Amino acid sequence: MVLIFNQNREFDIIAIGRACIDLNANEYNRPMEETMTFTKYVGGSPANIAIGSSKLGLKAGFIGKIPQDQHGRFIKQYMSEKGVDTSNMVFDTEGRKAGLAFTEILSPSECSILMYRDHVADLYLEPSEVNEDYIKNTKILLVSGTALALSPSREAVFKAISLAKKHAVKVVFELDYRPYTWHSQVETSIYYSLVAQLSNVVIGTRDEYDVMENLATPGNNDDTVKHLFAHDAELVVIKHGVDGSYAYEPNGATYHGQAYKTQVLKTFGAGDSYASAFLYAIVNGKDYETALKYGSASASIVVSKHSSSEAMPTVQDIEDLIKDRS
Amino acid sequence: MVLIFNQNREFDIIAIGRACIDLNANEYNRPMEETMTFTKYVGGSPANIAIGSSKLGLKAGFIGKIPQDQHGRFIKQYMSEKGVDTSNMVFDTEGRKAGLAFTEILSPSECSILMYRDHVADLYLEPSEVNEDYIKNTKILLVSGTALALSPSREAVFKAISLAKKHAVKVVFELDYRPYTWHSQVETSIYYSLVAQLSNVVIGTRDEYDVMENLATPGNNDDTVKHLFAHDAELVVIKHGVDGSYAYEPNGATYHGQAYKTQVLKTFGAGDSYASAFLYAIVNGKDYETALKYGSASASIVVSKHSSSEAMPTVQDIEDLIKDRS
Amino acid sequence: MVLIFNQNREFDIIAIGRACIDLNANEYNRPMEETMTFTKYVGGSPANIAIGSSKLGLKAGFIGKIPQDQHGRFIKQYMSEKGVDTSNMVFDTEGRKAGLAFTEILSPSECSILMYRDHVADLYLEPSEVNEDYIKNTKILLVSGTALALSPSREAVFKAISLAKKHAVKVVFELDYRPYTWHSQVETSIYYSLVAQLSNVVIGTRDEYDVMENLATPGNNDDTVKHLFAHDAELVVIKHGVDGSYAYEPNGATYHGQAYKTQVLKTFGAGDSYASAFLYAIVNGKDYETALKYGSASASIVVSKHSSSEAMPTVQDIEDLIKDRS
Amino acid sequence: MVLIFNQNREFDIIAIGRACIDLNANEYNRPMEETMTFTKYVGGSPANIAIGSSKLGLKAGFIGKIPQDQHGRFIKQYMSEKGVDTSNMVFDTEGRKAGLAFTEILSPSECSILMYRDHVADLYLEPSEVNEDYIKNTKILLVSGTALALSPSREAVFKAISLAKKHAVKVVFELDYRPYTWHSQVETSIYYSLVAQLSNVVIGTRDEYDVMENLATPGNNDDTVKHLFAHDAELVVIKHGVDGSYAYEPNGATYHGQAYKTQVLKTFGAGDSYASAFLYAIVNGKDYETALKYGSASASIVVSKHSSSEAMPTVQDIEDLIKDRS
C-alpha cells in the first residue's frame, strides 16, 4: 500500500519545532576538553528534516521561534538558502537564545552532546503563532517530539495537529526523544501517547517507543503497532539500529529494510536524514520497501560526515548508494 | 437511552482534582471589605461533587493532593465523615497550601470570589500518585476541568483518563472553568478539547463550552455536540442557567430540563450540586429526562443556602422539590 | 542618655514592609481543624507598629504594597481610620494577594500560625515606589526584617535606608524574624547583619539576634552589642521573654526592664505592641528605663486580647498598668 | 602613599565570581552571522584577572562554581595550568552550565557579545561554599560586580567580604558591570553602593561609576570619591578610556596615567588585564603612578590580541611597552 496525500497543496512538508545551532568539534576522537575550535551549523531535528527534504526536492516549510540575534538570523538565512520556506519562523521578542549543541566525538561510536536548552526560543512558540492558512497548504505536518517538552511550545504543537486534522493534512510524528527539558519519563510518555494516537505516521527507534510506552524493559513491535492502529495511525516505522528498520501497516503487512554499513564519523543526524529520505520516498509514491531503503541510505551517508544539516544527501547520492549495495 | 455502567465495581464515582477551603462571608449583602467574620467549609468542584454524591447514597472516592497542615487535615476528615473514601488523598510534602475561596455576596445575583490559588497543593498531584487499582474499581471517573490548568496535575489527569479507558470506566468531564491559573483561553481550549474528545459524558454551561471551542461569540449546541459525538462522547449536557439544561445523545435524541426557581442566597455551588444529582440519577438507571430534573432540583436547593458542600441535599430533599413543582 | 531626633519633621515614624490579614480563630484552645469561624484583622509587624504608634499619639505613615482587591482595600481603609497616613501605600497591579495568617490557639502558651505568603503583594514593593520626599519628613524609619526576605522588597528597604541616612532620619530595625520565605538562615544572617550595621536602633528577641549572628547555640548580649556599636548603632534592645528586656548604649550603660505578668490569651502581637510603646516613649524624650516599662506594659496588654492590631493600647492603658504594678 | 598589605599570607589575590567560556570568532571584521568557526578560551572578568595576576607572578586563587561537564573541567584545568589555585572551585551538582560569550568583532571599535547567562553555574555559588580558612590566607579579595547580579552568588560575595574584613584582607571591587542578569539599573546601583562602601579599593570605568550612582547623565570623579572616602575606601581608580585613568587617595592626592595607543583588534579583555597589572604593581609596593602605567600597558597589549585570558602579558611585556613609550 501507499499513503495517499492531498495533491493540491503548495507544500509537501511543513515541520514544527526547534531550529538551533550545532557547534561541532573540529578536533575529534578526543574528549571535548581538548577540542579548541568548533564549526557552526544549523541543527535541531525538525530543522534538519526540513533542510534534508528540501535538498531532496520536496517543497518544505517550517514553523518555529528563533532568537532575534546573530544565531537566529543565521538560522533563518541558512534555511532559506537551502530552499526552506521561512515565512512562518518568528523572532522571539523576549531576549531568549538559540539552543546550542556542542558535539563531542570521543570515537565513532562514543558521541555525546553538551546541550544548552534553558529558556531557548524554540520552546516559547505560542499557539497564536501557528497559522491555519499555512498548515492547510501542506501534505504533511511533521511534529518533533522535543517540541512537546514544555509549554507553550507543547500547546502550539497541539494546535497545529488539530488544524492539520481539520484540513486532512497527514500528521507525521518523529519521536525525537531527548531527555533534557522533560520533567520525567512519565510526562514524556503521557504526551507522546496523546500525540501518537492523533498521528497518521509515527517514526522512531525501538528505544523511543519504549519511552512512549513508559516501559522499564524493551517492548515488542507487535504490541506497539496494535495499540497505535487502534487509533489514527496508518503507518508505523520502528528503527532497530544496525538491525535495520521496520514499517507496519494496519492490514498486518510488515516490511523490513536493512541498515547500510559505512565508515562512521559520528552518530548524530542519522535519524533526521532517515526521516527526510523516507518521507521524500512516500510523498513520491514509492512503496514502503523502497522508502525504508531511502531512509537507511540517507542515514548512512550523514553519519560519515561532519555535520547533520550541511551533510544532507541528494537523491542521486542516495540512489547511488542503494545501487552500490544491492 | 441510558448509559450502561460496569456493575461489579466497588465505587460508583471517583473524582479527581481539587479539595480546598471555602471561607464564606457571615455578614453578606455587602462588600467583603465590610465582612468581619468567615465560616470555613470544604470546597472545590470535584470535592463538592464527591461529597454531594456520597450524601445521595453513591459510593464515592477521591484522588487529590492536600496540604500537610490544619486545613489539609480538616478537608480529609470532613470528606471522610461525609462517607467519601479518602484512601487516595495524598499529603503534600513540600509545604504547599490549600486553595482558598473567600466568597463575597454583594447581593443574591452579584457574587464574587477572592481566590488564593498560587502554588496550591492540589495542582501538584503527580501522575505517580494516580493508582490503577483504584481507578479500575469505579463506574465513573469524574474529571474537573480546573485540574488541567497546570502541570503536574494536568498529567495526573491524563494518566487517570488513560487508565479509566483501559478498564472501561466511564469518563465524565465537568468543564468547571475558572480563568485563574490558566495562562490563556487558547491554552484552556486546547486541553478541554483533548479531554472532551476522550470523555464519555461532558457536562458544562454554554459559556464553558464556548471556552472549550475558543469562541469569541456564543456557539450553538448543535455544533458542539456534533463535534463531540465524532469522538468518544455518549452523552452531552449543556446548561443554560434560568433557561434550564439540555442532554444530547449521539442518536439525535435531545432532552430539556427546566430550572427550578428559588429564593437565591448566592450562586456558588450550583454546578457541583447539579452534577452530583444528575450522576446519581444516571447511575441509578433513571432516564435522562428525570436526571435533568434531579440536577436542577439539587442546584436549586444549594443556591438557597450558605455553603456548597455542607448544603448538599438528600434524595428526599430533591424528590420533594420535584414533586412540589410538578 | 536619650536619642536625639530631628524635630522639624511631619512624621514621627514611617514603617516599611508588610500589611496583611490576620484570620483569628473564634473558637480557641483547640486545634484549628476544629475552628469553624475566623475574625479578620489587619496584621503584619510593621503595620501593627504603625497602628499601635498612631493610637499612642505618634504621627505615623506607612510604605508598602497591598493587593488591588477586597483585602487590600480593607487594609488601607482600616489603617487610615486608625490615623496612619496611607498616601505611600501602593496597590499591586499584577493580581498578587495579601499575606494571610490563620492563627491557631491550642492553649495560651501553644500558638501557631498557618501562613499564606506565596507571591504576596508586600514582597513586591519596588525601589521606585519608595519616595525620598516622604522619608525625609520623618524622625524614624522603622524597618521590619521580614521585608528583607525577598527581592524586590529587599532592595526597596535598602533604598529607604539609604535615603533615611542621607536625611538624618533614625533607622530603627525591628528584627521580626519569620523563617518562611527565607531560603536559609545563612541568607537571613547576611542581610540582617548588613541592615543592623546601618541602623541607629536595633530591637529584637535574643533568639532573633542569634539568627542574625547565625549562631547554633545562644549568643550573649555583650558580644552582640560590641559588634553593633562598632558600626552605626546608638541603642540596642534585646528581649528575653519573661526575664524582661535590656537596653544598651555605646557608652556601656545598660538598663533592664521587667516583664509584666498577665492573663495570656495568645502570644501573637507582643513584639509589635512592645515596639510601638517603646518608640512612643523615646520619641517623647522619656529615659530608656521608662521606655522599657512602656514596651513591656504594652506587650502585656495585647497578649491578653484577641487581636494584634485592634487590641493596641492607649497611653492611659499603659500608664495605668505600670502604676498598678509598681 | 602605598597600600599596606598583610605580608604573612599564602595568597596575594583570591578572586570570587565567574569563570566561563569565551567563543571568539575566528573570521572577524564581519557580522557573526558570517563567522563559521570559533575558538574556545576561558573567560569571565575575575577568572581573567586571576589568570593575568598569576602570569605576572602573583600567587592567585579562585572561588567559584563551575559545571560538572566538559566546559567546567576545561576551565578548571586551564586555570590550574596557568598557576591559579583551584582548590576552592566547586562543581555544580544540578546540571547547570558554563556561561558562554560568543564574541563578534565587526571592526576594531565595534565589538559585541552574544551572551548565554541563563541559569549559569557561577551565579549559584552558595555562601556555604565560601571558606573562611581560604580567605584569611590572602592579601586581596577581588570581588567582581557581576557576581552580585543574582542570589545565591550575591550572598556568597557578601559572606566573602564579611570574612575578608574580619581578617584584615583588602577588598578590591572591580565594578565589571554587565547589564544582562540584573533586573534593573536601580537594583545594580543598590548593591554596587553597598559593596563599594565596604571595599578598600574600587576600580571601574566612569560609565560604571555612573551605574553605581544611578545617574542619568555622567557624574564627576570628585563627587564619586568624596562619597567613597566617607566609608572604607583607601584608593579609587576611575578609567576614562583613551583619556587614561585616575587614582585617588583619601588625603586628596590624585594621579593620572595615560592610555597607550596600539593596533586594536578588539576591545574585550582590556579591563581585566588592566586590573591584573595594576594590582600586581601595588602588591609589589610600586607607587600609584607606576601602577597606573602597568594597568594601561597591560590593557594595551591584550586589546591587540585574539583572546582575553590566553593573551595576558608577562611583566617583561609590560615593562618593555612602558619603556618604548616613555
Side-chain angles (χ1 to χ4, degrees), chain C residues 118-132:
Chain C
D118 262 3
H119 291 161
V120 288
D122 60 84
L123 290 170
Y124 288 85
L125 183 71
E126 295 278 349
S128 60
E129 292 163 334
V130 174
N131 297 312
E132 182 164 3

Side-chain angles (χ1 to χ4, degrees), chain D residues 239-277:
Chain D
K239 296 179 286 179
H240 285 257
V242 295
D243 296 330
S245 53
Y246 297 84
Y248 296 88
E249 288 188 282
N251 62 10
T254 307
Y255 309 90
H256 178 244
Q258 62 167 321
Y260 294 105
K261 285 189 183 163
T262 186
Q263 183 73 25
V264 176
L265 167 63
K266 46 75 182 155
T267 54
F268 312 121
D272 307 335
S273 50
Y274 185 103
S276 305

